[in-house]
Amino acid sequence: MFLRSAASVLFTLTALPVAAACVGESYLDRMTPDQHAELSAAVAHMPYAEGLTWTATKEDASITVVGTMHIYDPRLEELRAELVDTVASADLVMLEATPEEEAALQNLITTDPSRLFIVDGPTLPELVDEETWQLISAAASERGIPSFMAAKMQPWYLSLTLAVPSCAMSDMMAGARGLDHMIIQEAEAAGVPMQAVEPYTTLFDLFEDDSFDEQIDMLRVNMLVPDLQEQMFVAMLDRYFAEDIGRLWEMSRIALSDVPDLDPAEATAMFDEMEESLLNTRNRNWIPVIAEASETHDDIVVAVGAGHLIGESGVLQLLENEGWAITRID
């Protein structure tokens, strides 16, 4: 649903677009006083709600933890410059996906197109009502996606694609990448080895866990909130560069109340489910992988989506729970 699309912009933050061209009203500017009060209360006691770069130390091991954004923005160049020496001097860089995982994923898509496309049975125009299909087709066309291609996309994949505002799609198609890929480039230039913190199919498996009907419902809801999506995109970028990640995340939760015809109780349940699967479970799975790497590497850079850093179940708190001393890098 919309919340999964919003979350993908923040974390999976799967290779989304240049967003500098997306300007206009921020969702923060349209929030009511009550919503702002709710937002402030939600982050007031959240562990590690602010900050993008941290050090974690334990005995002789040191980890630099970086909260990345998987979309490109020119302001990332400053962060990249600040990290050049840190990456070059590391003996291991850990990411959600290294070039090796990305190549394996691309090969999987090539050999098994059903992971992204409907290869048998009815296509989307036959699965949704005519009005919804016209909205989908128009939204796809605005993003340079022919309707015949959109018709054959798996609903979860099309939902994530249409979550990218049309103002940003051209830069995405041009191959612009975010901070994690900048770090990959610096690691490659310095000859620093890289390792993924999870299997390359993790996110595919996560979204594919929803039933086909649930995916169709997600697609329908996304068609109800195009203006809200763009406002969220602007607000997310603003909060990321303010290093205000906890507020960014909780803003996504509050935004559900502005989605028409979405029951508040259902929205809360869906958001909590998504948070657990997209963030918390993955974070817990990563900690043993990072800990094992620290046994054979003294200086590690861990660069993962910024949303993974925050909260009681965030990477930083989980490392602290394991005895690591956490210090913010200003």
Side-chain angles (χ1 to χ4, degrees), residues 116-267:
L116 293 185
F117 297 96
I118 299 170
V119 295
D120 294 305
T123 58
L124 291 178
E126 302 167 88
L127 295 168
V128 300
D129 59 85
E130 178 64 20
E131 181 180 0
T132 300
W133 171 245
Q134 291 304 321
L135 291 171
I136 292 171
S137 180
S141 296
E142 288 177 4
R143 291 157 176 80
I145 303 169
S147 59
F148 73 85
M149 182 177 293
K152 295 182 179 181
M153 286 184 174
Q154 292 287 353
W156 70 266
Y157 178 51
L158 183 56
S159 291
L160 295 182
T161 302
L162 298 184
V164 181
S166 56
C167 58
M169 182 60 76
S170 60
D171 295 296
M172 174 183 174
M173 300 303 291
R177 309 298 289 270
L179 184 59
D180 46 353
H181 273 264
M182 294 178 179
I183 290 172
I184 286 173
Q185 291 172 346
E186 297 300 336
E188 289 177 331
V192 179
M194 290 175 276
Q195 177 184 334
V197 293
E198 64 187 5
Y200 69 91
T201 59
T202 297
L203 289 176
F204 271 40
D205 295 338
L206 171 65
F207 287 111
E208 289 175 346
D209 278 347
D210 288 343
S211 71
F212 199 81
D213 287 343
E214 288 174 326
Q215 293 179 38
I216 291 291
D217 288 342
M218 176 172 70
L219 189 55
R220 286 194 179 99
V221 170
N222 277 344
M223 293 301 98
L224 300 176
V225 289
D227 293 340
L228 181 58
Q229 286 178 336
E230 293 203 12
Q231 292 163 0
M232 284 291 294
F233 210 83
V234 172
M236 286 176 176
L237 289 171
D238 172 61
R239 289 300 88 203
Y240 177 84
F241 288 105
E243 302 194 10
D244 193 7
I245 308 305
R247 192 173 299 270
L248 190 164
W249 175 243
E250 290 300 326
M251 178 182 64
S252 300
R253 186 192 304 272
I254 291 171
L256 290 176
S257 63
D258 291 330
V259 177
D261 301 324
L262 188 58
D263 178 72
E266 180 185 0

Side-chain angles (χ1 to χ4, degrees), residues 262-274:
L262 188 58
D263 178 72
E266 180 185 0
T268 298
M270 289 188 299
F271 193 96
D272 290 343
E273 177 188 356
M274 181 271 300

